[in-house]
Amino acid sequence: MGIHNDKKRFSLAVKFNALSIALILVTAVGISLYTIRSEMANYYRELLNHGITIAETASQNCEYGIYTEDRDALNRALQGLSKDADIAYVTVLHAGGRILASITFQTSAEIPEAWHEGEALGGQVSHRDHDGRDGGRYLEVLFPIAASTRGILDPLLQSSERSDQKVLGYLRLGLTQEGLRRKIRDLVVSTALFTSVLVIVGSVLSFYLSRRITHPVLRLKAAAEEIAKGNFETPIEIRTTDEIADLARSFEYMRGRVRDYNDQLQHDAIHDVLTGLPNRALFSDRLQHAIILAKRRAGYYFGVLFIDLDGFKVINDSLGHTVGDLLLVAFSKKLVACVRPLDTVARLGGDEFAVLLEDISGESNAMFVASRIKEALKKPFPIAGREVFITGSMGIALSSSGYETPEQVLRDADTAMYQSKAHRRADFTIFEPAMHARAVERLRLETDLRRAIERQEFVPYYQAILSVKEKCIVGYEALARWHHSERGLVPPGNFIPMAEETGMIVAIDRLILRQACVQMKKWLDRFRGNHLNFVSVNLAHKQILQPDLVEHVALVLEETGLPPEHLKLEITENVLFENPESASILLSRLRGLGVQLYIDDFGTGYSSLSYLHRLPINGLKIDRSFVKRIDDIGENHAIIRTIMTLARDLNIDAVAEGVETTNQLAHIASLDCAYWQGFLFSKPVKSEEAQALIAW
Ligand code: C2E
Ligand code: CA
Ligand code: CA
């Protein structure tokens, strides 16, 4: 976009100057012409008067000569006229037209033809112009000569009454108009001079004026061009006090507004709106700079800390997005406080942050900062009247790895972070090349998993749940298995964490739920009257958060035809106690369908026992770890006993998980645990094998 158009055009100053000069010129020429005209008319009249006066005098001297027709006397009378420079020639005519005397005073002059008959000899004074053959111009006066000149002058004088004296002849006086010509020449020269002076003075004035008018306009134009170019800093200075100054003021105001707006835009483009921290773009830019420095300057090191908050989503979902946002802001402040002013703290998106530690001495330096952040996160954040705890998993990439691009650095720091998240959480890990291979493997797994969902490569295996007293199978727990086309049967431990992280678990769980219900319906129909009563299906954390969970379960039950009382849903306790209020509502709705609810892995989480009685649950599954250690020490024995007491008090069932030995079974039996599950009886098996076990 250009602010000029390319059409040929004239500037304001040129137009203004041209107009004023034209005006001055027209005026000056007009005045000159008028002056010349009137001067000429005056001169002509004077010449004529002069001629008449002379003729009048001369005619008196000629009266006698004419009368007597004495040529000598006439010549003498006329000779006196030679002193007058204006008189070129003189002729005396008889009243009949005959020439009586003729004298030429100016050699070049030549007496013209006789005056035209009728016109000339009217007995009155008349005059005419005539061009001589010498090229000169003459004013000829024809003056009648009478005994007295009074009356003859009548037509010229106009006022006097006519006289009827007899005309004797005529005096024909030729006056040269050379003087007039000279006069014209002088006049033309002086008016030309006058015009030139006027034009010069006028032009100077016009240039001055046009400058005064167009200069501020040009400055405004220049300012507009600067703004168009993106320079908003130069102020517009106009010192006039007219409308242009008003315009300039509006312009100046506009410039300020545009600059502020532009600043905001530029700031927003490279900063995170919520926290005000640099965003990924700005961070990458600074990181790129650091990469270049590290290459050029020996001894310059930098480190990048990648931080991902642990369980931020849970906080967002349970406490609301407002609290989530406040937490992010508070966290970003804490992060900034943990580093030097020269370091860059950025929010890369969501709950991901990065810190660029510039000019550090080495690995220990980066580790020191990471531990400081870790320590700082141990204190809770006071948010909206409550204390919120959050931890962050960190990964560190160091410039010593010889990076080329910011993406590589961030990728490795992210990989290291993931390592922290997978293993220790709330801690930091320094990137090692081996992690990269693992990250690649993860990526492959993720791709495979996505494809597996499309191809429905997941099947439930069934592990029997038995009654301690009756020693028979009362139900089956459906446990997901992945039939990978190349890797064969993949156990849940290898894909469930990834599936949970990516959200793919929702689809997997729904596949398993449907298949388990279909299977259970078949078994119920087939083994009517048997002890087999239910199928137990696991629900992942993400699944619980699905807004349509209840509707989905209802739909599956309806479509598969499985009566709801034959379905149990297992939910890990952490899911429930992170937000007991909403969990309670959800569980009630699920119970409303007629299904049964169990808390899985009970004892491993942070269950608040005070909430337990408020949750509409049907039973607990005592975590495998407690059962496993029954053989070793008595302590776990005590824990199981406590859990059993709790279950009894709440009037709910208990299932002991992971029973592998008869000793363990004997112990849980002694503690009045009604149900058990474990390798002692069977591993999770294919549906056909499970079916064979029912019949057993
Ligand atoms: P879980 O729900 O606690 O399931 C019981 C796990 O303990 C199963 O492991 C089972 O094979 C194992 N187990 C049972 N008896 C014994 C025993 O006597 N000794 C030992 N050492 N282990 C025993 P599995 O099938 O590998 O599943 C692991 C976990 O994966 C499950 O723990 C569950 O949390 C999850 N999972 C499995 N299938 C699904 C599913 O369809 N959806 C969801 N969301 N999670 C699933
Ligand atoms: Ca389970
Ligand atoms: Ca369990």
Side-chain angles (χ1 to χ4, degrees):
M1 179 208 69
I3 48 176
H4 299 290
N5 65 28
D6 295 332
K7 257 198 254 163
K8 171 106 188 75
R9 64 200 199 107
F10 297 102
S11 72
L12 263 182
V14 166
K15 281 183 201 163
F16 184 88
N17 290 330
L19 196 74
S20 27
I21 291 172
L23 256 165
I24 293 165
L25 221 93
V26 167
T27 316
V29 169
I31 293 173
S32 304
L33 286 179
Y34 179 77
T35 317
I36 292 172
R37 230 182 84 93
S38 58
E39 281 291 305
M40 275 169 63
N42 277 345
Y43 189 88
Y44 192 83
R45 205 174 308 122
E46 274 170 24
L47 189 67
L48 183 61
N49 287 343
H50 180 58
I52 292 169
T53 317
I54 288 172
E56 194 179 0
T57 325
S59 66
Q60 283 166 7
N61 299 340
C62 290
E63 274 173 39
Y64 175 76
I66 292 178
Y67 196 70
T68 56
E69 294 195 16
D70 181 347
R71 288 172 192 251
D72 287 343
L74 282 174
N75 276 340
R76 261 196 313 278
L78 296 179
Q79 207 62 63
L81 298 178
S82 68
K83 277 171 229 143
D84 196 318
D86 286 333
I87 299 169
Y89 59 85
V90 62
T91 312
V92 177
L93 305 164
H94 193 267
R98 187 161 37 90
I99 293 175
L100 296 177
S102 184
I103 303 175
T104 312
F105 297 114
Q106 287 173 4
T107 45
S108 61
E110 142 266 358
I111 300 162
E113 301 289 296
W115 204 281
H116 192 270
E117 292 293 315
E119 184 190 0
L121 308 169
Q124 278 169 345
V125 177
S126 57
H127 66 94
R128 65 165 190 177
D129 282 354
H130 109 88
D131 298 313
R133 255 179 276 161
D134 58 342
R137 196 170 168 80
Y138 299 94
L139 167 64
E140 256 187 13
V141 177
L142 191 70
F143 198 91
I145 305 170
S148 162
T149 52
R150 261 180 48 79
I152 307 167
L153 293 171
D154 287 355
L156 292 173
L157 303 174
Q158 283 170 357
S159 55
S160 314
E161 81 251 30
R162 294 188 72 96
S163 155
D164 43 7
Q165 275 172 311
K166 187 175 183 317
V167 174
L168 303 176
Y170 294 91
L171 186 79
R172 212 173 127 194
L173 200 62
L175 295 155
T176 174
Q177 290 190 28
E178 192 49 40
L180 183 64
R181 210 181 261 189
R182 255 200 316 276
K183 179 98 185 167
I184 291 174
R185 209 178 306 128
D186 289 353
L187 268 173
V188 167
V189 169
S190 57
T191 52
L193 216 77
F194 162 77
T195 307
S196 315
V197 170
L198 210 70
V199 167
I200 289 167
V201 171
S203 307
V204 169
L205 233 117
S206 157
F207 278 118
Y208 172 73
L209 260 175
S210 71
R211 239 184 90 78
R212 283 212 57 150
I213 295 172
T214 58
H215 192 66
V217 173
L218 288 179
R219 290 182 75 146
L220 277 182
K221 182 184 149 215
E225 279 169 1
E226 283 301 305
I227 291 174
K229 266 188 243 157
N231 171 11
F232 305 107
E233 297 313 320
T234 329
I236 304 158
E237 281 171 32
I238 302 287
R239 279 184 287 273
T240 57
T241 50
D242 47 20
E243 291 90 333
I244 291 180
D246 292 344
L247 183 65
R249 255 191 301 281
S250 316
F251 221 85
E252 183 63 8
Y253 177 71
M254 201 170 78
R255 180 182 67 85
R257 293 293 299 264
V258 172
R259 185 195 48 210
D260 293 351
Y261 187 62
N262 185 62
D263 287 354
Q264 188 66 44
L265 272 182
Q266 282 191 343
H267 181 272
D268 288 356
I270 52 173
H271 288 85
D272 170 51
V273 181
L274 177 66
T275 60
L277 291 179
N279 64 11
R280 188 182 285 270
L282 181 54
F283 187 81
S284 294
D285 194 61
R286 299 220 175 132
L287 184 51
Q288 180 69 63
H289 185 74
I291 291 170
I292 294 169
L293 264 184
K295 274 198 194 159
R296 289 245 181 99
R297 205 186 291 167
Y300 176 93
Y301 299 104
F302 69 82
V304 166
L305 228 75
F306 195 107
I307 308 159
D308 187 287
L309 296 181
D310 300 322
F312 177 71
K313 181 147 176 32
V314 178
I315 290 183
N316 232 352
D317 291 333
S318 54
L319 302 182
H321 286 257
T322 319
V323 171
D325 283 357
L326 289 172
L327 180 63
L328 287 174
V329 172
F331 175 71
S332 71
K333 285 193 183 132
K334 198 170 262 192
L335 207 52
V336 170
C338 284
V339 301
R340 302 163 302 168
L342 106 113
D343 299 324
T344 303
V345 177
R347 182 178 173 213
L348 302 182
D351 58 349
E352 284 179 0
F353 293 82
V355 183
L356 171 60
L357 303 166
E358 290 201 60
D359 211 2
I360 53 172
S361 52
E363 189 179 297
S364 58
N365 227 318
M367 284 168 66
F368 177 73
V369 176
S371 0
R372 192 154 61 193
I373 295 170
K374 189 176 144 187
E375 278 309 304
L377 288 180
K378 283 187 178 157
K379 290 192 202 103
F381 291 92
I383 283 165
R386 60 172 101 199
E387 296 207 318
V388 182
F389 282 91
I390 188 99
T391 56
S393 298
M394 290 175 267
I396 301 171
L398 296 160
S399 58
S400 43
S401 301
Y403 291 108
E404 295 284 335
T405 64
E407 290 71 37
Q408 293 169 344
V409 186
L410 280 172
R411 181 201 61 201
D412 286 357
D414 186 13
T415 305
M417 182 282 295
Y418 184 77
Q419 207 69 27
S420 300
K421 188 144 279 198
H423 298 297
R424 301 192 289 255
R425 271 177 105 107
D427 209 339
F428 59 87
T429 310
I430 292 183
F431 176 78
E432 290 158 24
M435 291 176 192
H436 187 60
R438 260 173 280 168
V440 171
E441 167 59 22
R442 261 176 53 77
L443 197 69
R444 209 168 69 105
L445 178 68
E446 195 181 323
T447 324
D448 281 4
L449 205 52
R450 226 170 272 283
R451 200 175 316 130
I453 290 172
E454 279 165 31
R455 298 185 189 165
Q456 309 211 341
E457 289 176 354
F458 301 93
V459 287
Y461 267 41
Y462 298 92
Q463 187 181 31
I465 296 170
L466 301 106
S467 157
V468 174
K469 265 194 208 130
E470 273 126 47
K471 298 185 172 59
C472 59
I473 297 170
V474 288
Y476 271 112
E477 177 176 1
L479 292 156
R481 295 293 182 268
W482 176 10
H483 271 297
H484 192 283
S485 48
E486 290 155 26
R487 294 189 234 179
L489 201 65
V490 183
N494 292 8
F495 67 88
I496 295 268
M498 157 75 78
E500 283 194 322
E501 205 178 298
T502 55
M504 290 190 265
I505 190 73
V506 175
I508 297 173
D509 269 6
R510 290 186 174 189
L511 275 174
I512 298 296
L513 173 70
R514 184 172 293 271
Q515 294 183 65
C517 288
V518 169
Q519 185 61 66
M520 192 60 204
K521 168 82 173 124
K522 279 188 195 155
W523 282 337
L524 281 178
D525 291 348
R526 183 162 181 165
F527 302 102
R528 211 172 286 277
N530 190 289
H531 290 286
L532 181 72
N533 184 40
F534 64 87
V535 69
S536 209
V537 177
N538 295 284
L539 290 187
H541 188 177
K542 283 240 165 74
Q543 185 76 286
I544 305 291
L545 299 174
Q546 295 304 306
D548 68 337
L549 174 67
V550 180
E551 289 74 14
H552 179 75
V553 173
L555 183 76
V556 171
L557 287 171
E558 193 191 314
E559 287 177 358
T560 57
L562 180 70
E565 63 271 22
H566 297 294
L567 176 66
K568 286 185 183 179
L569 298 175
E570 296 186 10
I571 303 162
T572 48
E573 55 180 332
N574 286 349
V575 183
L576 301 177
F577 294 104
E578 268 162 5
N579 190 357
E581 289 93 351
S582 61
S584 173
I585 296 168
L586 177 76
L587 296 193
S588 302
R589 290 183 60 212
L590 283 171
R591 279 292 297 272
L593 296 177
V595 302
Q596 296 192 44
L597 303 174
Y598 273 64
I599 294 184
D600 205 354
D601 304 340
F602 190 79
T604 56
Y606 315 101
S607 311
S608 155
L609 295 181
S610 59
Y611 271 117
L612 198 59
H613 74 276
R614 291 203 216 157
L615 294 175
I617 48 167
N618 303 84
L620 303 171
K621 292 188 83 172
I622 303 165
D623 192 67
R624 194 164 77 222
S625 55
F626 303 119
V627 178
K628 193 175 174 206
R629 282 186 276 175
I630 283 177
D631 295 345
D632 316 338
I633 36 170
E635 186 196 340
N636 283 301
H637 200 148
I639 291 176
I640 298 175
R641 191 196 306 275
T642 312
I643 296 173
M644 285 314 303
T645 314
L646 184 73
R648 224 183 345 265
D649 287 352
L650 295 173
N651 196 21
I652 55 178
D653 288 339
V655 183
E657 282 188 320
V659 178
E660 293 183 349
T661 63
T662 43
N663 182 33
Q664 288 165 355
L665 182 59
H667 265 92
I668 60 135
S670 73
L671 291 170
D672 277 349
C673 181
Y675 305 101
W676 69 282
Q677 169 181 11
F679 292 173
L680 178 63
F681 178 73
S682 160
K683 290 190 168 187
V685 291
K686 277 187 207 153
S687 59
E688 300 84 41
E689 290 173 45
Q691 185 168 316
L693 286 173
I694 304 167
W696 160 85

